[in-house]
Amino acid sequence: MQQYEGKAKRVTVRDDGDVEIYYKDDATAFNGQKHELFAGKGALNSQIAERLLVYLQQRGTPTHHVQRLDDRTLLAKRVKIFPLEVVVRFKVAGSLAKRTGLPDNTVCAPPIVETYYKRDDLGDPIVNDDHIRLLGIATPADVLTLRRMALKAALDLKALCDKAEIDLVDLKLEFGQSGAGILLADEVSPDTCRFRDKKTGSSLDKDVFRQGKGDLLSGYREVLQRFEKALAEVVRA
Ligand code: UDP
């Protein structure tokens, strides 16, 4: 069976064409330069990703998610991933603070949508629509679709975060082409979103690891708990 080993996940292609996504305990940052294992991270992230993908699917974003297989493995439809990371930002942080000199936490209204070329050897550079056309990564029509889908998913996730008393600062989404059109793929989790406590502003995501700020998994557990509560409220409403 064909396998793809990623930094935080292992993807196995099944004979039926679906893929098994195994969430590893690895945390990496700075393009893989910083690396550590956190026992239980894979299971936690798979639970958060499952809940968020199902929620987004229910709100009208088609995703690759199919079902859970075990405590850290999710089944998904096989897609051809666009080599693009689509980042939606509600507030300035990380590379946007570095690029613009604007202070962390400055509100981006309306939200900003950015595209990055997924190329580890180039350090995932930011690219605009003209660069994407030059590279032949996606058609101009597909880029419009990716931006529109990313913004919708981000706004839906922000609504859930607001209920969970979480400040959604920014997030990274990936998309893939399937027989049934473009699907939201990959994970949506504290590895790929900046989640901060609304009241204290403290990080509940991978920034804790990036900045060596303490116990990574306690934030992830907190995020899962808060989303579970907020999702139960959405169902009751
Ligand atoms: N992000 C990600 N994978 C990457 C780069 C960024 O998931 O390879 C996420 C990151 O967690 C944050 C958002 O995308 O939620 C914006 O990240 P940024 O461009 O500020 O870069 P970073 O500060 O993570 O280097």
PDB file of all heavy atoms in Angstrom, residues 103 139 163 187 202 204 220:
ATOM      1  N   PRO A 103       1.872  45.575  15.055  1.00  0.00           N
ATOM      2  CA  PRO A 103       1.911  44.828  16.313  1.00  0.00           C
ATOM      3  C   PRO A 103       1.010  43.599  16.285  1.00  0.00           C
ATOM      4  O   PRO A 103      -0.043  43.611  15.632  1.00  0.00           O
ATOM      5  CB  PRO A 103       1.409  45.827  17.356  1.00  0.00           C
ATOM      6  CG  PRO A 103       1.074  47.076  16.651  1.00  0.00           C
ATOM      7  CD  PRO A 103       1.319  46.920  15.180  1.00  0.00           C
ATOM      8  N   THR A 139      -5.772  26.987 -11.609  1.00  0.00           N
ATOM      9  CA  THR A 139      -6.298  27.948 -12.579  1.00  0.00           C
ATOM     10  C   THR A 139      -6.804  29.178 -11.822  1.00  0.00           C
ATOM     11  O   THR A 139      -7.144  29.078 -10.627  1.00  0.00           O
ATOM     12  CB  THR A 139      -7.478  27.357 -13.375  1.00  0.00           C
ATOM     13  OG1 THR A 139      -8.563  27.144 -12.444  1.00  0.00           O
ATOM     14  CG2 THR A 139      -7.122  26.041 -14.042  1.00  0.00           C
ATOM     15  N   LYS A 163     -18.241  31.232  20.392  1.00  0.00           N
ATOM     16  CA  LYS A 163     -19.061  30.514  21.384  1.00  0.00           C
ATOM     17  C   LYS A 163     -18.189  29.828  22.437  1.00  0.00           C
ATOM     18  O   LYS A 163     -18.594  29.666  23.580  1.00  0.00           O
ATOM     19  CB  LYS A 163     -19.901  29.430  20.702  1.00  0.00           C
ATOM     20  CG  LYS A 163     -21.112  29.949  19.988  1.00  0.00           C
ATOM     21  CD  LYS A 163     -22.095  28.798  19.697  1.00  0.00           C
ATOM     22  CE  LYS A 163     -23.325  29.298  18.998  1.00  0.00           C
ATOM     23  NZ  LYS A 163     -23.060  29.839  17.648  1.00  0.00           N
ATOM     24  N   GLU A 187      -5.911  18.842   7.963  1.00  0.00           N
ATOM     25  CA  GLU A 187      -6.520  18.961   9.288  1.00  0.00           C
ATOM     26  C   GLU A 187      -6.844  20.417   9.617  1.00  0.00           C
ATOM     27  O   GLU A 187      -6.294  21.348   9.031  1.00  0.00           O
ATOM     28  CB  GLU A 187      -5.570  18.404  10.346  1.00  0.00           C
ATOM     29  CG  GLU A 187      -4.311  19.230  10.518  1.00  0.00           C
ATOM     30  CD  GLU A 187      -3.356  18.627  11.554  1.00  0.00           C
ATOM     31  OE1 GLU A 187      -3.726  18.504  12.731  1.00  0.00           O
ATOM     32  OE2 GLU A 187      -2.227  18.296  11.161  1.00  0.00           O
ATOM     33  N   SER A 202      -3.866  34.044  26.309  1.00  0.00           N
ATOM     34  CA  SER A 202      -2.792  33.046  26.278  1.00  0.00           C
ATOM     35  C   SER A 202      -3.039  32.030  25.142  1.00  0.00           C
ATOM     36  O   SER A 202      -4.181  31.711  24.811  1.00  0.00           O
ATOM     37  CB  SER A 202      -2.648  32.347  27.626  1.00  0.00           C
ATOM     38  OG  SER A 202      -3.831  31.676  27.924  1.00  0.00           O
ATOM     39  N   LEU A 204      -3.416  28.690  23.015  1.00  0.00           N
ATOM     40  CA  LEU A 204      -3.925  27.332  23.242  1.00  0.00           C
ATOM     41  C   LEU A 204      -3.586  26.487  22.015  1.00  0.00           C
ATOM     42  O   LEU A 204      -4.372  25.645  21.598  1.00  0.00           O
ATOM     43  CB  LEU A 204      -5.448  27.377  23.443  1.00  0.00           C
ATOM     44  CG  LEU A 204      -5.968  28.244  24.602  1.00  0.00           C
ATOM     45  CD1 LEU A 204      -7.480  28.430  24.513  1.00  0.00           C
ATOM     46  CD2 LEU A 204      -5.589  27.603  25.929  1.00  0.00           C
ATOM     47  N   TYR A 220      -4.277  22.059  24.109  1.00  0.00           N
ATOM     48  CA  TYR A 220      -5.027  21.264  23.136  1.00  0.00           C
ATOM     49  C   TYR A 220      -6.244  20.617  23.813  1.00  0.00           C
ATOM     50  O   TYR A 220      -7.329  20.558  23.245  1.00  0.00           O
ATOM     51  CB  TYR A 220      -4.124  20.181  22.521  1.00  0.00           C
ATOM     52  CG  TYR A 220      -3.151  20.676  21.459  1.00  0.00           C
ATOM     53  CD1 TYR A 220      -2.411  21.842  21.653  1.00  0.00           C
ATOM     54  CD2 TYR A 220      -2.966  19.987  20.276  1.00  0.00           C
ATOM     55  CE1 TYR A 220      -1.515  22.280  20.696  1.00  0.00           C
ATOM     56  CE2 TYR A 220      -2.074  20.428  19.301  1.00  0.00           C
ATOM     57  CZ  TYR A 220      -1.346  21.568  19.526  1.00  0.00           C
ATOM     58  OH  TYR A 220      -0.467  22.004  18.555  1.00  0.00           O
TER      59      TYR A 220
END
